[in-house]
Amino acid sequence: MKRLQGNQAVSGKEDDYYFPFPVPNYRFDQRNEMFKRRTWDEEFIPWGNQLYQQVKYKDKYGYRKLDYALRNAAWNIEYGYAFGNMRSNFGLYSWDHIPDKAKRFIEHEGPVSYGPEVNARIVKKAARFLGADLVGISYVHPNLVYSQELDLTTMEHRPVEVPEGCVHAIVMLVAMDYDSCRYSPDAISGASTGLGYSKQAVVANLVAAFIRGLGYRAIPSGNDTALSIPLAMAAGLGELGRNGLLISRKYGPRVRICKVFTDLPLRHDDYKPFGVTQFCMACKKCAHHCPAQAISHGEPTMEGPSLSNFSGVEKWYINPEKCFVFWSKNWMDCNNCVKVCPFNKVEGFFHDIVRYFIRNVPILNPLIVLMDDLLGYGRPVQIRDKNFWEKV
Ligand code: SF4
Ligand code: SF4
């Protein structure tokens, strides 16, 4: 079956830990992910070349050399040092890197552990100190680890395995900037994405160094190695939205996700749904505002429309092919499905009240969507209102 091409069935023998919701009964081959397909799938190579190898400035706010300079600066840590979008176990996401100066501390007196409960508290405190905005801990379900990856630095296609015993995932969210995100789909919005990737690489690297400092294994990961969204959900950090993104309680979908796999004993968090699925039934703002019409207007299904979907459980699947082609035609990535989401709000008392009603009085959901529209959330930023560079 074409959909499973390259993907790997799993035995499901790992029953030692609880995972709070069903996952597909196979492992996804990361070669089939859209950003990897653009290197080997003939249908998408030209689109990939246009997006990644050509430059086209426009005389238009958000697409000028100035705007691209900001976007490229924001991505600089990821593209120049981290390489989490290229392969696993490399750059800032190296699995074993310990600076010489730190080795004597790590080797001295062996590992230190205070038990799963206290370890979890300590690790969360350290992760927040080191830059994570939200932190949770989950079991690493083996089906969520990629069966194989395509290394974009060598084009090698090879199996992925997390080292034995590293069954705990410290999952961390890094919030993207609210204001720049509103400019989607231009380079100013692209800068919010790039900065999220650069920050999460630093956070994952530092948290891995902290775990190694305790004397345990630590495998930092961005988009490589394993699927982030289900791990973040299991770690109590949010729910899956119609837009195919993690919807976190505090920042909505305006987050990037990184994780560190470890053998340090840790207590896992619980899955904490807060009404997103029901709200998405009534909302559909992301589907209406998607310029590629890549987001479903219908009910959840068991299967996605493309080889790039991890099919096999009931959820909303986006069409990554349509999304990617739009990015290429736009010469820039897009955040429309982030910016228009009613869960994407800055912190505040009023928004907390709305979240309370979404969680507890779902009958009000259509009214809340209507209010969101009437208040202008998600409306495209008009040229006359574009003032990213003018505001200090
Ligand atoms: S990123 Fe843009 S094109 Fe892609 S699904 Fe979201 S709104 Fe649609
Ligand atoms: S925009 Fe609406 S439908 Fe889409 S993910 Fe957000 S809440 Fe759900």
Side-chain angles (χ1 to χ4, degrees):
M1 185 175 157
K2 192 176 177 220
R3 181 169 315 287
L4 298 183
Q5 186 182 47
N7 294 325
Q8 181 183 311
V10 291
S11 66
K13 65 182 163 52
E14 288 239 9
D15 289 331
D16 294 349
Y17 293 95
Y18 168 74
F19 201 77
F21 44 82
V23 299
N25 65 353
Y26 67 97
R27 289 167 64 180
F28 187 74
D29 183 343
Q30 203 198 10
R31 180 178 184 270
N32 294 336
E33 188 224 65
M34 217 49 234
F35 299 104
K36 306 281 177 159
R37 275 175 75 188
R38 56 110 180 161
T39 65
W40 62 265
D41 187 328
E42 284 179 10
E43 191 182 344
F44 297 101
I45 288 173
W47 293 117
N49 290 346
Q50 178 162 316
L51 183 60
Y52 287 99
Q53 292 175 13
Q54 299 170 27
V55 180
K56 189 176 173 190
Y57 301 126
K58 293 183 203 165
D59 185 19
K60 185 177 168 189
Y61 206 108
Y63 293 87
R64 302 161 300 177
K65 189 164 185 169
L66 164 71
D67 307 311
Y68 274 82
L70 182 73
R71 195 281 303 254
N72 295 340
W75 275 98
N76 202 43
I77 299 292
E78 164 57 26
Y79 282 158
Y81 305 92
F83 307 109
N85 288 340
M86 304 290 275
R87 54 166 289 183
S88 64
N89 193 7
F90 198 61
L92 291 184
Y93 291 107
S94 165
W95 290 7
D96 296 307
H97 179 69
I98 299 170
D100 284 342
K101 276 190 176 171
K103 277 184 181 147
R104 69 182 194 281
F105 295 104
I106 289 168
E107 285 157 6
H108 194 65
E109 286 189 353
V112 57
S113 169
Y114 303 92
E117 189 90 32
V118 177
N119 288 346
R121 176 164 51 78
I122 288 171
V123 160
K124 287 179 184 178
K125 173 72 184 178
R128 282 193 297 269
F129 174 77
L130 295 168
D133 288 305
L134 293 170
V135 192
I137 296 169
S138 78
Y139 164 55
V140 184
H141 192 296
N143 294 27
L144 299 178
V145 178
Y146 295 128
S147 61
Q148 292 176 288
E149 71 172 336
L150 180 63
D151 177 346
L152 294 189
T153 64
T154 62
M155 296 313 290
E156 187 189 351
H157 185 215
R158 56 169 173 253
V160 179
E161 292 301 340
V162 174
E164 203 179 340
C166 290
V167 293
H168 314 288
I170 302 154
V171 189
M172 295 163 287
L173 305 188
V174 172
M176 299 193 294
D177 178 62
Y178 177 81
D179 184 45
S180 50
C181 214
R182 290 189 310 122
Y183 289 76
S184 173
D186 70 8
I188 296 171
S189 160
S192 71
T193 307
L195 191 58
Y197 272 106
S198 286
K199 279 183 179 174
Q200 74 168 26
V202 172
V203 169
N205 178 282
L206 297 177
V207 171
F210 172 70
I211 305 284
R212 289 178 200 132
L214 298 176
Y216 288 85
R217 296 277 331 242
I219 309 297
S221 167
N223 283 358
D224 59 281
T225 307
L227 287 145
S228 296
I229 293 175
L231 289 171
M233 291 164 64
L237 296 175
E239 268 185 85
L240 185 70
R242 180 185 289 276
N243 55 10
L245 301 172
L246 178 81
I247 310 291
S248 66
R249 193 183 285 223
K250 191 167 175 188
Y251 305 103
R254 191 173 33 89
V255 292
R256 304 257 52 110
I257 310 170
C258 62
K259 59 267 188 199
V260 173
F261 306 113
T262 182
D263 54 358
L264 173 71
L266 291 170
R267 183 187 184 282
H268 299 163
D269 287 294
D270 296 321
Y271 176 46
K272 297 185 193 99
F274 55 99
V276 171
T277 305
Q278 262 181 299
F279 191 82
C280 287
M281 289 286 187
C283 174
K284 302 186 185 179
K285 280 186 83 164
C286 52
H288 291 310
H289 289 272
C290 172
Q293 283 304 292
I295 298 174
S296 165
H297 291 254
E299 300 284 308
T301 56
M302 290 295 288
E303 209 172 320
S306 143
L307 176 67
S308 296
N309 295 112
F310 188 33
S311 291
V313 290
E314 191 175 54
K315 62 180 182 181
W316 281 291
Y317 291 91
I318 71 150
N319 187 325
E321 296 173 0
K322 286 185 178 178
C323 173
F324 187 73
V325 170
F326 170 74
W327 288 24
S328 301
K329 286 181 179 169
N330 185 43
W331 304 79
M332 178 51 58
D333 54 81
C334 166
N335 269 322
N336 279 20
C337 49
V338 174
K339 79 169 178 184
V340 302
C341 180
F343 288 101
N344 168 32
K345 294 283 186 296
V346 287
E347 282 178 70
F349 178 68
F350 178 70
H351 295 143
D352 287 345
I353 300 269
V354 175
R355 286 189 192 99
Y356 171 85
F357 281 114
I358 290 172
R359 205 162 56 248
N360 297 293
V361 197
I363 199 168
L364 293 180
N365 286 346
L367 184 64
I368 293 171
V369 176
L370 183 66
M371 289 300 295
D372 203 72
D373 278 337
L374 290 175
L375 291 169
Y377 288 111
R379 204 178 285 155
V381 182
Q382 302 299 318
I383 291 286
R384 64 174 184 277
D385 297 327
K386 291 197 170 187
N387 59 357
F388 178 83
W389 291 103
E390 289 70 22
K391 264 189 311 187
V392 283

